[in-house]
Each structure stands twice: as C-alpha cells, then as structure tokens.
Amino acid sequence: MKKLTNYLILALALVAGAGLVSSCGKDYGDDISKLDKRVAAIEQQNLADVKSQLNQLSSTLNGITGTLSSIQSKNGELERLVNGLSSTVGSLQSTISGLVSISDFNEFKSSYETEKGELSGQLGTITRTLETLSGKVGDAATKSELDSLNTELGGRIQGLSEKLDAMGLKLDALQASIRSVVFVPEYSDGKVVVPAPVNVVKLTYDIQPAAAAKTFAESFAAGKATATYVARTLKTRTAGPSATVSSISNTSDGQIVVSAKIAGMEEGTSTAIALVLTDEAGNSIQSDYAIIEIGAKEDISVELGGVTYKAARMADGRVWMTEPLRFVPEGKTVSANPGDGSGIWYPYTVDGVAETTEEAIKERGYLYDYATAFGVEEVNAENYQSFEGTQGICPDGWYIPTKEDFFGLVGNGPAASTYGPAKTDAPYYDSQYEGGRITTLDEAGFGWTFSGVINRTAASATGKYMTVKTTAANCSVESYRDKVSMTFLMGSTANPKITASSGNIQFAGLMSTFTSKYPEGRLSVSWSNYLSGYPLRCIRKD
C-alpha cells in the first residue's frame, strides 16, 4: 500500500511538471528506479520493526506464561506446606498434654506463627505479582486469561489464609483448654489449717496442660472465665459452707494459686472443697477435694507504754495490730488543734471536733505526722527515703508497714503503674473492688477503724480534719454509716518519684474509699503527704 501511494505521488509530480520534462528532454527512468529501491528499503525496514515488536511481545508473553507457571507451582508448594502445618496442628490435639511447660507450648506456637508469617508473605507476593503483570499486558486475550487466573488464585490464596487463621484459633483453644486440675497440699496430711477468725485461704493447683494455667488466670481476671467452689461437709457429705473465689494468679509454670473466702465455719470445724473451672468456651472441669479446717483462734497481743494492743495473724501470714496505736512519745503532747503542727493529735468527730475521751482514743487511736511516727526531728530531702521498714514508735520486734506489706494484704489498686506491678494474688484482693474490701477484712478480724485524716498538703498550709462522711448513698453497711469515710493507715515506703525540694514528700499507705461502686468500703494502696496526720498500726517482723 505504501509503495502504491508513493507511485501515485510520483505520478502526480510528473504530471504537474510535464512541460518542464518535455522541454528538458531528460530521462527520468533512473529516478524512478532509485525511488522504487528506496520504497522497497522502507518497506523492508518497516517489516523488520514489526517483526522485532512481535518478537518482543512473544518474549513478554512467554515470560508471563513462565511466571504464571511458576506462580501455580509455588502456590502448590504453599498448599502442601499449609496442609503439612495443618496436620502438625491436628496431631497436637492428641499430644498437647505432653507439653509439660508453658515454654514448650510457647516455643511450638512461636514456630507456627513464624511459619504463618512467612507463608502469608509469600501469598502476598503472589497477589502483588499478578496485579503487576495484569497492568503490563495490553493484549486483550492474554489479559483476560491472566485476570481469570488472578481470580482463581485469589480464591485459593484466600482459602489458604483462612486455613492459617483457623490453625491459630485452634492453638488458642488448645492453650486455654484444661485437661486436669489437681490440688497441691502444703503438708503431707493434705489439710489446710486456717486459724480463726481468718476466713480467706490460698490454695495451689497443678494444671495440665501447663500452658493453660497462665491463659486461664488471665481469662478469669478479664471476666471471661469463672471459678467456683463446691463445698461438702465431712461424713455427711451434705452441702458445706460457701466458698467464694476472689482471685486467681499464675505464679509458676503450670500452677495457679486461688484465693477464696470461706463463710460460715466455726472454730474446730472442717469442710471439703473442690474447685470448678469454666473456660471461655463454657467447658468445665473439677479438681479433687481439699480439706479446710478452722483451727483454734490465736491469742496475740503486744504491749507498749503500759497499753496492751490486740493483734491477729491474717491470711497473708503476717501478724498485724488490730487496733490503732495510742502511744505518746517522750517529749510530745497530744493536741486538739489540727492546725498547730504538733505532730500528734486526738481523734475527732464527723463534725470536725477533737474527741479527748478515753473511749474515743481507744477506739480510733491518735493521729501522727511522719516525723513523729518515725521518731525523728524532721523528714526532709536528705532522709525521706531511709525509713522503709523502720520501727519508729512501734514496739520492739514490730515496725511501720511497707508498701509491699500493704500489697501483700489487699493487692494493688487500679493505678498499678504508680506503685509497681499489680499484686492480684493477695489474699484479700477483690477484683471487683480493685483492692481489698473492708467487710472481708473485718470478718477476718482486722477490725477496721474510722479514724480519719488531718490534711496538710504543704509546710505553709494549715492542717484540717477531713470530715466527709459515709451515708446511705455511698455505704451499704449500716454499722459503717455516719463515720469519717476516708482513713489512711500510714506506711514507711517513700514515693521515689517525688522531688523532695518541692516539699511534697509522700509515703505509701492503706486508704479507705466509700462510693456507690465500693459501698462496703475499698482499701487500696495510695500516697500520703508527710505533714498530715494519720492513724498507725504496726506489723510484726515474723
């Protein structure tokens, strides 16, 4: 076609210039021959270009075909790998009990997650490769074939991904599944002897598979799993006293420690209790029975300054004073004015009036600032971190409780990061209260007193009685109403995050809170200013 067009152009040119040709008489045969050769060369070059383009397209299509074949082959390999992993996980169902530790299980699960990550990465590479190829191909038929393959492989890749995810869920379920719960007695006779009136016990159980112990403890804390006790009286086998689980912790590989409150047991009586654990899926398993015996009540007391103070061994194993200190150090005079900075004050009424009667002093004790309690002239930037565990004005063999002593009793409150790791395995920790419940400690013989606090936030401030009281709106225990709602038992651990130069030196203590959320009174660890006035209870050095 191009050659014909070129001849037509030449003919038109010759016709247009006929007169000139005739007059010149020149022979144009050579020119026509040259032009013909030139057109032929052009045609040959165009053909070569077309062939080159066709060869390039053919090479591209061959490459695409090879790539697609490689993808299909790789996809087959991936399917075999995934199926192999699926088989491994399937066999794990029958062998999981053989994993004797959390570390063994975690190692297997980590290996699975690594392989899953690698496979997922390869599947992603396939998807991206298909998308890239589809964008490069212009030929409609090839593009259609590629898109069809893309759709087919996309479905298979999705299926493989779902298989991988299903395996992960299966592992999670295996990890949470408990096959056996066995009570671990502290002594050879298997009994758990609790001195009256302590009603909180801590029991240890072996869990199989071991990996399930930590998982269940976490699920229980999150409210996704439950734990209850079945109680039976001995001999008659009739229903026994109620036993309520307050907390579960995973303190060692394959074990849980359960804190439970036993109600309605008298001194010298025994009962058998079995633990029933129910996981997130609703599967329940029961332990063997443990024998709980309420022993004779310990008669513990300590004398200081001619006054005898009652004390009791609590479920944390420690001996605590069960009444506040009312000792007057040498050189000190008890004051009825909370704003005079004397360092020791009388208790007071909910109306903010000092009470100087012997009855009030015995019930609620004196209020001390930290310098007086520690037995020093002053607490300052140089010495404020040196008093942890100090005896202070406590009796010989006793000391002012530390932050850890309070944690060991009631656990930790919600602001765990402020005080350190949460201690939810404390015997009187109640997850609903995020700390201790006053009613529970009172039933155990702790004898909480509503002594209140003198609040003085800075050296330039004047101390004042805190007079917010308990009411029917924030307190459900009638005997606790119309009393000072906030009491703070002083402790000896300084807050290391406080800059002493600011004057705001603080120490950890045990604080009461009454709200609609905590109507039975909550006890939690908090910080207190060193200049304020607080009641003091000592703890024995056992």
Side-chain angles (χ1 to χ4, degrees), residues 219-349:
S219 295
F220 179 83
K224 298 177 180 178
T226 61
T228 58
Y229 269 110
V230 176
R232 293 284 183 268
T233 57
L234 301 180
K235 292 185 179 180
T236 64
R237 299 295 191 269
T238 56
S242 65
T244 306
V245 176
S246 56
S247 67
I248 294 178
S249 61
N250 169 235
T251 56
S252 61
D253 201 3
Q255 287 190 340
I256 59 172
V257 177
V258 180
S259 293
K261 177 181 176 182
I262 310 294
M265 290 188 68
E266 301 295 332
E267 181 180 333
T269 61
S270 298
T271 191
I273 61 174
L275 180 65
V276 179
L277 302 179
T278 304
D279 63 21
E280 295 182 38
N283 302 312
S284 295
I285 188 168
Q286 181 173 314
S287 74
D288 51 334
Y289 279 87
I291 307 301
I292 307 297
E293 181 178 299
I294 304 299
K297 181 179 179 180
E298 290 184 277
D299 187 10
I300 306 174
S301 61
V302 62
E303 190 272 338
L304 178 64
V307 176
T308 299
Y309 296 89
K310 294 178 182 179
R313 186 181 300 279
M314 304 303 294
D316 62 345
R318 307 299 305 282
V319 175
W320 294 77
M321 280 187 176
T322 56
E323 51 185 323
L325 208 65
R326 47 191 185 274
F327 173 72
V328 182
E330 185 177 351
K332 288 287 186 178
T333 301
V334 185
S335 171
N337 178 6
D340 64 7
S342 66
I344 180 171
W345 299 270
Y346 287 107
Y348 62 97
T349 69

Side-chain angles (χ1 to χ4, degrees), residues 315-509:
D316 62 345
R318 307 299 305 282
V319 175
W320 294 77
M321 280 187 176
T322 56
E323 51 185 323
L325 208 65
R326 47 191 185 274
F327 173 72
V328 182
E330 185 177 351
K332 288 287 186 178
T333 301
V334 185
S335 171
N337 178 6
D340 64 7
S342 66
I344 180 171
W345 299 270
Y346 287 107
Y348 62 97
T349 69
V350 291
D351 297 318
V353 177
E355 282 196 289
T356 61
T357 65
E358 184 177 342
E359 181 182 3
I361 296 169
K362 182 177 181 180
E363 178 190 354
R364 299 196 296 281
Y366 293 129
L367 302 177
Y368 304 89
D369 68 9
Y370 275 94
T372 301
F374 291 154
V376 296
E377 287 294 323
E378 67 173 352
V379 174
N380 54 43
E382 285 70 38
N383 66 10
Y384 80 105
Q385 293 200 63
S386 67
F387 299 112
E388 186 171 50
T390 187
Q391 176 180 337
I393 60 173
C394 290
D396 290 340
W398 297 65
Y399 65 92
I400 299 173
T402 66
K403 178 188 69 174
E404 292 304 317
D405 292 328
F406 289 130
F407 279 178
L409 189 69
V410 301
N412 203 358
S417 60
T418 306
Y419 314 110
K423 188 175 178 61
T424 57
D425 62 334
Y428 299 103
Y429 177 80
D430 188 305
S431 57
Q432 182 181 346
Y433 270 50
E434 301 173 302
R437 195 184 297 234
I438 292 179
T439 51
T440 301
L441 270 84
D442 275 354
E443 289 168 3
F446 194 71
W448 184 257
T449 54
F450 296 80
S451 302
V453 169
I454 291 175
N455 187 33
R456 185 185 176 198
T457 58
S460 59
T462 301
K464 296 180 180 179
Y465 291 127
M466 295 189 70
T467 57
V468 176
K469 66 179 183 179
T470 54
T471 66
N474 61 19
C475 178
S476 62
V477 184
E478 190 171 352
S479 62
Y480 291 174
R481 292 176 189 164
D482 296 318
K483 299 180 183 296
V484 178
S485 66
M486 180 181 169
T487 294
F488 194 101
L489 294 185
M490 63 195 326
S492 56
T493 302
N495 183 349
K497 296 184 179 180
I498 294 298
T499 302
S501 60
S502 70
N504 190 25
I505 298 171
Q506 294 181 333
F507 292 89

